[in-house]
């Protein structure tokens, strides 16, 4: 007989927390350790930006995949009576929107501006599109910061003791 205070579906919950923790850790590592290290190591800012952009693109695609998988698992847990995962689904939705906007709008747009400038024989920051590039980069940074904050909140909520 199962104890009434024992957590429901502990294996699924632990798997959820493990995946979410590793994923949020990768987001934080890429954004706040890897990208600054790339710019501190490479002397050519254009090359550093291209490398960092490639890393952010991979992280954004990974985020979409993991976020969808966690949303499916959260839905399963909600249908099995774990109501605390309802708010988790909303946090994941916010993170998915940030990752999708980065993957399918911001990164391709930034890449196009950079490629156009390179075809004209100049770095993007010296091209006529420099102001637009800076604006888009700022929006992209805000999206990443929002995704990071939501990720930290996600892990915080997941590690909250259940009554």
């Amino acid at each position: 007989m199962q104890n009434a205070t024992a957590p429901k579906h502990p294996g699924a919950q632990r798997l959820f927390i493990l995946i979410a923790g590793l994923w949020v850790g990768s987001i934080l590592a890429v954004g706040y350790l890897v990208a600054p290290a790339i710019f501190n190591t490479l002397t050519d800012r254009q090359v550093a930006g291209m490398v960092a952009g490639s890393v952010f693109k991979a992280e954004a695609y990974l985020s979409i995949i993991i976020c969808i998988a966690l949303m499916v698992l959260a839905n399963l847990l909600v249908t099995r009576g774990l109501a605390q995962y309802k708010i988790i689904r909303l946090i994941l939705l916010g993170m998915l929107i940030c990752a999708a906007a980065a993957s399918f709008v911001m990164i391709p747009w930034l890449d196009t501006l950079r490629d156009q400038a390179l075809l004209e024989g100049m770095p993007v920051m010296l091209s006529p599109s420099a102001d637009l590039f800076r604006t888009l980069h700022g929006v992209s940074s805000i999206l990443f910061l929002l995704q990071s904050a939501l990720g930290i909140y996600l892990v915080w909520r997941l590690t909250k003791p259940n009554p």
Side-chain angles (χ1 to χ4, degrees):
M1 188 165 154
Q2 191 176 12
N3 185 351
T5 60
K8 297 178 185 176
H9 312 288
Q13 289 186 63
R14 292 178 74 183
L15 179 64
F16 194 102
I17 293 168
L18 176 65
I19 292 169
L22 290 172
W23 170 44
V24 171
S26 77
I27 291 170
L28 298 175
V30 163
Y32 306 105
L33 294 174
V34 174
I38 290 169
F39 280 95
N40 286 333
T41 303
L42 299 175
T43 55
D44 185 341
R45 294 191 57 77
Q46 178 88 6
V47 172
M50 292 170 73
V51 172
S54 178
V55 171
F56 278 110
K57 184 185 299 185
E59 181 64 43
Y61 290 140
L62 178 69
S63 288
I64 289 171
I65 293 165
I66 292 175
C67 195
I68 290 171
L70 288 177
M71 287 180 84
V72 168
L73 184 54
N75 282 334
L76 179 67
L77 291 170
V78 168
T79 59
R80 292 189 177 175
L82 294 167
Q84 69 266 29
Y85 281 85
K86 288 180 180 179
I87 188 78
I88 298 300
R89 292 184 306 188
L90 293 175
I91 298 167
L92 289 169
L93 179 61
M95 294 180 76
L96 180 62
I97 290 168
C98 290
S103 296
F104 303 121
V105 178
M106 304 308 296
I107 293 171
W109 200 351
L110 289 164
D111 287 347
T112 300
L113 292 175
R114 186 181 303 113
D115 292 345
Q116 286 174 345
L118 288 174
L119 285 174
E120 295 170 6
M122 65 183 84
V124 70
M125 298 314 284
L126 298 178
S127 75
S129 301
D131 288 338
L132 177 58
F133 187 88
R134 272 192 280 283
T135 301
L136 293 174
H137 189 273
V139 171
S140 183
S141 297
I142 290 168
L143 282 171
F144 191 82
L145 181 64
L146 179 59
Q147 184 184 21
S148 300
L150 286 169
I152 291 168
Y153 184 60
L154 172 71
V155 173
W156 183 261
R157 290 284 305 199
L158 287 171
T159 58
K160 177 182 172 184
N162 293 326

